[in-house]
Amino acid sequence: RKEVEQDPGPFNVPEGATVAFNCTYSNSASQSFFWYRQDCRKEPKLLMSVYSSGNEDGRFTAQLNRASQYISLLIRDSKLSDSATYLCVVGDYKLSFGAGTTVTVRA
Amino acid sequence: EADIYQTPRYLVIGTGKKITLECSQTMGHDKMYWYQQDPGMELHLIHYSYGVNSTEKGDLSSESTVSRIRTEHFPLTLESARPSHTSQYLCASSEGGRGTSSYNEQFFGPGTRLTVL
C-alpha cells in the first residue's frame, strides 16, 4: 500500500467553480502535512501547510482528519492559473509525496 | 523564490558515462534531499542528508551515490549511466538537522532532466 494516495483526476472545471479533493495517508504517526503545487515539467512548490484545526489561504482551504487519516484541499472561485497538479505531502521523520491530483480550469 | 540551484538543467549522455548532478543552496539549510520523478508519477526519495558528512539512502533503491562535504552542496553521482536512469532528478532542502522534531517545508531546485541513450 502506498503511504500517500490521491485521486489522480483530472478534475476539469470551469472558471469560478469550486473544486475539492482528498488524499489518504497510511502512517498514523505522521506529524506534518502539506499541499504542494507542481506545474507541468516544473519543480513542486509549497501551496500551504495543513494544520490540525484546518486553515485557509485566500481561495484555498485545507482540512486534516486524523481519525480517518485524510487531508483535503478546496479551491474556491477557481482561476485558469490554478491549473496544475496538486501533491499531497505527509511526513514524520521524512516526507512522502502523493502522485498528485491534476486540476484543469477551463475558460 | 527559493535559493536552490541545480546544474545542468538538461543532460543527454551515452551509456556507460560517469555523471555528476550538482545541487547547491544558499539558505544555510541542514537537510538536503534528492528525488527522482518520472513524467506523471510521484516523487521518490533516493538520498537525503541531515548535515555535513551525513548521507542516507531513501525509499527508492538507486545506483547513484551522494556526498555532503559542505552544507550548501549535495552532488549526486552515477558512475556508469544506463538508459534506465533516464528521469528527472529534483534536489530539495529544508531547515533543521538530525533530531529536529518538526518537519519543515522543502524547497525544490528546478531539476535536472537526464536522458541516457
Side-chain angles (χ1 to χ4, degrees), chain B residues 13-70:
Chain B
I13 202 162
T15 297
K17 301 290 187 184
K18 177 179 178 179
I19 60 171
T20 296
L21 307 185
E22 302 288 349
C23 175
S24 295
Q25 50 94 7
T26 58
M27 297 174 281
H29 287 169
D30 285 320
K31 290 179 178 155
M32 294 189 75
Y33 316 84
W34 276 103
Y35 292 89
Q36 187 174 338
Q37 185 181 33
D38 293 322
M41 305 297 286
E42 63 263 54
L43 281 79
H44 290 288
L45 181 67
I46 52 175
H47 299 283
Y48 61 101
S49 168
Y50 287 122
V52 171
N53 294 326
S54 151
T55 61
E56 308 276 353
K57 290 197 176 290
D59 302 320
L60 182 68
S61 175
S62 173
E63 293 165 347
S64 58
T65 58
V66 292
S67 62
R68 191 88 184 275
I69 299 172
R70 302 199 316 266

Side-chain angles (χ1 to χ4, degrees), chain B residues 61-115:
Chain B
S61 175
S62 173
E63 293 165 347
S64 58
T65 58
V66 292
S67 62
R68 191 88 184 275
I69 299 172
R70 302 199 316 266
T71 298
E72 63 271 22
H73 196 213
F74 191 39
L76 180 145
T77 298
L78 275 165
E79 289 293 332
S80 179
R82 295 207 301 270
S84 60
H85 296 138
T86 295
S87 189
Q88 172 156 268
Y89 293 83
L90 288 156
C91 180
S93 72
S94 67
E95 291 181 15
R98 187 187 295 273
T100 302
S101 59
S102 64
Y103 230 83
N104 296 311
E105 171 190 1
Q106 291 185 15
F107 295 88
F108 283 84
T112 294
R113 198 166 294 275
L114 172 66
T115 302

Side-chain angles (χ1 to χ4, degrees), chain A residues 36 38 43 92-95, chain B residues 37 42 59 103 106 109:
Chain A
Y36 274 71
Q38 186 172 28
E43 72 272 25
D92 45 5
Y93 65 95
K94 60 181 173 66
L95 296 181
Chain B
Q37 185 181 33
E42 63 263 54
D59 302 320
Y103 230 83
Q106 291 185 15

Side-chain angles (χ1 to χ4, degrees), chain A residues 62-76:
Chain A
Q63 296 280 351
L64 167 63
N65 185 318
R66 284 188 183 271
S68 301
Q69 294 181 210
Y70 75 84
I71 66 174
S72 64
L73 181 67
L74 182 146
I75 308 173
R76 285 188 302 279

